[in-house]
């Protein structure tokens, strides 16, 4: 069963088409990452799913509820972390008061409010700061507080817009662990907007790449990465002058592309099983000091750059 | 507790955290009665007991309008924080993501702004009534009951209407200003309507018929308050919806 079903969703802001005929399914219990550059339509999509914005046309069903017919019901069963969430806490209220206020608005029963707040604040290592004004917390702690707010009522679907933005690496890792453990423990569905490719690669089991409001590619993360293996690249580590190696590489007809990074050349090689040996031999004959030739692991970044670049060119 | 009440209580508590609002509320509650005692009881000793009731007719409109004006001020401050403050602090978006309906949110914001003012209106009027009654007896005069019927009419009709009208105007303004103080400044002008029942009856001092002028000015004030209330809320209801609010985020 799918927790988020988007059907031909379009949102226009005047002449600007922010979301363009989007069709997308997110299975229940999955961690879904919506990737795209700034202004691609990620936040607009999240805002439509959280019923903040009405689409120009099309619809979406969140946990079985239609955004047009049951907006209040959707808000009850979704937890939302807005963009730049660290700025969206009540700075004049304590961390505890912030959460207590939203727990009441989300209809959490009175007796369950305190344990729920304590559990989340302890997990986020904020319990000892519960009586501090939110305005006195660091940016990262405010972000964590906003994330607690989104999780308070144990929502079925979580809509997170750049959840680890503004967090230090340790806090970001903790948030990722939290998302993974919540997904495992409660089978919650996560819909995450991000342009942090490494983060999405670590967390998400399904992704879609969006640009100019259009879904350019969607699928299972591992499947998409495996597609890239057909376009395997190689890293050539050079000691000494890299330009001499470049001048050799550029003249080899089986080298489809190359890119230099300080002491490394990243190569795309046609028929590598045969040509890698030729490459090494040619380089060694030319007096290039080769340290290593290794496979370059296919990353989501490669996929993303290829898809977004291709999409922009269309 | 209803969700509207949760919003109202939180907005009120948040507003109280600002010194300007906290002291503003204290001032609004005590300043009216204090000014009334100074004006009324200060003049009373030079008036013969037989003409004490005349003093009520003369000073009454000023004191009544003053009590009304002071009661409205807290609404402008709290509503500005509750409506424009959410926008200024970027807290509107998470609030709109909760299961609150537009109506619950509107009613919560309205209660936050209006109820404290209504309480201040009732309490400052009660303090003034009791203070003037005790003061007049203490000064050896027959007990003076204030406000008189015309004053009570103004405080019971035009003032509550104006308190709710201010919230409506604040809703309209909140879409156009980005800072709390701008909203606060923009609505304080409305309070000036209460200069009408304060000043207009004075014309009758020379021409006579002051009592009729008091009622006339009260009706004018009530009519203006009712107009602002009706027009203000007609526009506010149209503007206060999720789409408009989201556009402010």
């Amino acid at each position: 069963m799918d927790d988020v079903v988007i059907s031909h969703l379009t949102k226009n802001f005047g002449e600007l088409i922010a979301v363009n005929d989007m069709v997308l399914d997110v299975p229940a219990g999955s961690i879904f990452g919506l990737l795209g550059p700034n202004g691609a339509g990620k936040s607009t999509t999240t805002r439509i799913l959280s019923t903040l914005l009405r689409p120009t046309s099309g619809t979406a069903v969140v946990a079985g509820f239609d955004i047009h017919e049951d907006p209040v019901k959707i808000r009850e069963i979704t937890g939302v972390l807005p963009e730049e969430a660290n700025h969206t806490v009540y700075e004049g209220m304590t961390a505890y008061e912030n959460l207590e206020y939203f727990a009441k608005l989300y209809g959490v029963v009175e007796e369950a409010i305190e344990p729920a707040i304590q559990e989340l604040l302890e997990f986020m290592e904020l319990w000892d700061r519960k009586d501090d004004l939110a305005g006195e917390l660091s940016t990262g702690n405010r972000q964590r507080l906003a994330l607690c707010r989104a999780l308070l009522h144990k929502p079925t679907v979580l809509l997170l817009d750049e959840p680890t933005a503004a967090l230090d690496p340790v806090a970001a890792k903790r948030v990722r662990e939290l998302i993974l453990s919540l997904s495992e423990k409660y089978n919650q569905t996560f819909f995450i907007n991000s342009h942090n490719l490494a983060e999405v690669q670590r967390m998400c089991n399904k992704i879609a790449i969006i640009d100019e409001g259009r879904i350019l590619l969607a699928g299972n993360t591992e499947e998409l990465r495996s597609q890239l293996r057909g376009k395997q690249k190689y890293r050539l580590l050079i000691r000494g002058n890299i330009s001499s190696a470049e001048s050799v590489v550029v003249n080899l007809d089986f080298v489809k592309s190359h890119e230099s990074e300080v002491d490394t050349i990243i190569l795309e090689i046609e028929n590598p099983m045969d040509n890698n040996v030729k490459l090494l031999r040619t380089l060694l004959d030319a007096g290039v000091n080769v340290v290593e030739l290794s496979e370059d692991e296919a990353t989501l970044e490669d996929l993303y750059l290829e898809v977004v670049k291709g999409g922009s060119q269309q | 507790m209803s969700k509207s009440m949760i919003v109202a209580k939180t907005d009120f508590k948040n507003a109280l955290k600002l010194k300007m609002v906290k002291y503003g509320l204290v001032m609004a509650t005590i300043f009216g009665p204090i000014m009334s005692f100074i004006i009324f009881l200060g003049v009373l000793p030079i008036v013969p007991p037989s003409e004490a009731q005349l003093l009520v007719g003369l000073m009454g409109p000023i004191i009544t309008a003053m009590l009304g004006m002071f009661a409205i001020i807290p609404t402008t401050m709290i509503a500005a924080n509750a409506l424009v403050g959410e926008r200024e602090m970027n807290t509107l978006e998470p609030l709109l993501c909760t299961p609150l309906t537009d109506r619950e949110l509107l009613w919560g914001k309205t209660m936050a702004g209006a109820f404290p003012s209504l309480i201040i209106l009732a309490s400052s009027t009660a303090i003034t009534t009791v203070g003037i009654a005790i003061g007049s007896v203490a000064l050896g005069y027959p007990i003076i009951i204030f406000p008189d019927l015309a004053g009570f009419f103004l405080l019971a009709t035009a003032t509550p209407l104006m308190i709710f009208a201010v919230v409506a105007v604040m809703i309209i303004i909140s879409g156009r200003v980005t800072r709390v103080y701008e909203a606060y400044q923009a609505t304080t002008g409305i309070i000036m309507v209460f200069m009408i029942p304060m000043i207009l009856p004075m014309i009758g001092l020379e021409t006579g018929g002051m009592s009729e002028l008091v009622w006339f000015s009260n009706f004018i004030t009530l009519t203006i308050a009712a107009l602002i209330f009706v027009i203000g809320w007609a526009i506010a209801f149209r503007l206060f919806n999720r789409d408009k609010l989201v556009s402010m985020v």
Side-chain angles (χ1 to χ4, degrees):
Chain A
M1 188 193 161
D2 293 326
D3 253 352
V4 179
V5 181
I6 298 175
S7 311
H8 301 286
L9 202 67
T10 298
K11 179 67 185 177
N12 300 341
F13 294 105
E15 296 286 299
L16 178 79
I17 305 169
V19 178
N20 192 354
D21 197 31
M22 183 187 283
V23 176
L24 195 65
D25 296 336
V26 178
S30 63
I31 304 177
F32 171 82
L34 186 61
L35 284 162
N38 291 334
K42 303 188 298 289
S43 295
T44 304
T45 306
T46 313
R47 283 180 163 190
I48 292 171
L49 294 177
S50 62
T51 76
L52 276 177
L53 287 176
R54 282 178 228 258
T56 308
S57 64
T59 191
V61 175
V62 180
F65 300 102
D66 190 283
I67 54 167
H68 296 290
E69 289 163 20
D70 300 298
V72 175
K73 199 72 197 164
I74 287 176
R75 292 200 291 275
E76 276 174 15
I77 50 101
T78 52
V80 181
L81 184 80
E83 204 176 0
E84 295 183 13
N86 58 300
H87 293 300
T88 65
V89 294
Y90 286 90
E91 295 189 354
M93 287 160 73
T94 65
Y96 190 93
E97 285 170 343
N98 263 281
L99 297 184
E100 190 182 29
Y101 179 40
F102 279 88
K104 286 176 179 172
L105 293 181
Y106 276 110
V108 178
V109 290
E110 196 69 36
E111 310 82 66
I113 290 176
E114 195 180 334
I117 294 173
Q118 186 169 351
E119 186 189 352
L120 281 168
L121 287 180
E122 279 178 350
F123 189 88
M124 293 284 188
E125 294 175 347
L126 281 175
W127 180 244
D128 57 339
R129 308 289 308 271
K130 70 181 165 66
D131 296 322
D132 290 357
L133 291 178
E136 290 170 358
L137 298 175
S138 66
T139 306
N141 283 345
R142 285 203 302 267
Q143 181 84 0
R144 284 196 267 175
L145 181 62
L147 192 56
C148 289
R149 184 182 64 198
L151 294 164
L152 260 177
H153 55 298
K154 296 192 169 50
T156 312
V157 177
L158 277 134
L159 305 166
L160 313 180
D161 203 345
E162 306 284 355
T164 58
L167 293 182
D168 60 67
V170 176
K173 186 170 179 275
R174 193 137 186 84
V175 168
R176 284 196 298 272
E177 285 168 356
L178 172 76
I179 290 169
L180 290 167
S181 70
L182 286 169
S183 170
E184 199 176 316
K185 194 173 172 185
Y186 300 110
N187 203 33
Q188 287 170 306
T189 304
F190 287 84
F191 190 105
I192 300 169
N193 280 354
S194 184
H195 49 231
N196 186 336
L197 298 157
E199 175 178 284
V200 169
Q201 191 166 320
R202 280 186 204 127
M203 277 194 302
C204 301
N205 40 38
K206 193 179 175 188
I207 64 157
I209 296 175
I210 182 175
D211 194 24
E212 293 174 352
R214 285 180 299 122
I215 295 287
L216 302 179
L217 184 110
N220 180 291
T221 313
E222 269 314 302
E223 281 172 15
L224 294 171
R225 280 182 65 194
S226 68
Q227 285 177 19
L228 279 176
R229 292 195 184 108
K231 295 171 181 176
Q232 186 67 59
K233 289 186 179 179
Y234 291 85
R235 299 178 80 85
L236 185 66
L237 182 62
I238 306 292
R239 182 179 292 159
N241 191 0
I242 196 166
S243 56
S244 60
E246 279 181 309
S247 61
V248 173
V249 162
V250 80
N251 291 317
L252 296 171
D253 53 1
F254 55 80
V255 174
K256 285 159 74 181
S257 69
H258 75 282
E259 195 182 326
S260 300
E261 284 178 5
V262 193
D263 57 357
T264 305
I265 304 175
I266 299 162
L267 304 154
E268 199 179 336
I269 300 171
E270 198 179 315
N271 194 9
M273 295 300 281
D274 297 333
N275 291 327
N276 277 359
V277 177
K278 281 186 198 168
L279 169 74
L280 283 173
R281 192 170 293 144
T282 314
L283 285 165
L284 292 170
D285 289 349
V288 176
N289 199 349
V290 178
V291 178
E292 185 181 81
L293 177 67
S294 58
E295 275 188 356
D296 191 28
E297 193 190 353
T299 64
L300 216 48
E301 187 177 1
D302 300 317
L303 179 66
Y304 176 85
L305 291 173
E306 188 177 303
V307 170
V308 171
K309 201 176 158 189
S312 305
Q313 282 168 351
Q314 279 171 23
Chain B
M1 198 191 302
S2 77
K3 284 178 182 166
S4 301
M5 189 56 86
I6 294 165
V7 172
K9 274 182 72 174
T10 306
D11 280 347
F12 181 60
K13 274 169 69 179
N14 283 344
L16 279 186
K17 284 173 183 160
L18 302 169
K19 280 182 183 170
M20 186 189 86
V21 177
K22 187 159 64 181
Y23 297 132
L25 284 179
V26 174
M27 292 298 286
T29 311
I30 63 167
F31 210 62
I34 288 173
M35 289 296 286
S36 309
F37 300 151
I38 291 170
I39 294 170
F40 212 89
L41 301 176
V43 179
L44 200 57
I46 59 168
V47 177
S50 58
E51 291 178 16
Q53 206 52 44
L54 247 172
L55 191 65
V56 175
L58 192 66
M59 295 297 184
I62 298 170
I63 297 170
T64 310
M66 212 168 54
L67 288 172
M69 283 170 87
F70 283 125
I72 296 166
I73 291 168
T75 303
T76 62
M77 294 191 290
I78 299 167
N81 277 288
L83 290 156
V84 184
E86 295 271 13
R87 183 183 184 183
E88 193 177 325
M89 294 185 298
N90 298 309
T91 49
L92 196 55
E93 186 168 350
L95 196 60
L96 293 173
C97 290
T98 66
L100 277 169
T101 61
D102 293 0
R103 188 170 293 187
E104 283 170 331
L105 190 57
L106 176 63
W107 185 226
K109 298 283 176 196
T110 305
M111 282 198 288
F115 280 16
S117 277
L118 291 172
I119 293 166
I120 286 170
L121 174 66
S123 55
S124 61
T125 305
I127 294 167
T128 306
T129 305
V130 172
I132 288 176
I134 294 171
S136 59
V137 174
L139 290 170
Y141 287 78
I143 188 164
I144 295 173
I145 302 298
F146 176 85
D148 58 5
L149 189 60
F152 184 75
F153 173 81
L154 186 77
L155 293 175
T157 57
T159 314
L161 267 182
M162 195 58 101
I163 286 169
F164 283 99
V166 165
V167 179
V169 172
M170 194 64 79
I171 289 167
I172 297 165
I173 285 172
S174 64
R176 289 167 174 77
V177 298
T178 52
R179 295 280 175 263
V180 168
Y181 75 89
E182 291 170 348
Y184 175 59
Q185 285 172 343
T187 46
T188 44
I190 297 173
I191 300 169
M192 292 303 129
V193 173
F194 273 71
M195 296 300 280
I196 297 168
M198 191 182 272
I199 293 167
L200 191 61
M202 297 303 152
I203 298 168
L205 269 178
E206 283 196 13
T207 58
M210 193 175 167
S211 171
E212 288 78 16
L213 268 175
V214 169
W215 277 104
F216 176 67
S217 61
N218 283 355
F219 275 114
I220 287 179
T221 310
L222 176 61
T223 307
I224 293 171
L227 276 173
I228 299 173
F229 178 90
V230 172
I231 296 167
W233 276 105
I235 299 169
F237 274 128
R238 202 164 51 81
L239 291 178
F240 198 92
N241 59 62
R242 202 155 283 267
D243 292 343
K244 293 275 181 190
L245 291 170
V246 170
S247 70
M248 286 158 51
V249 170

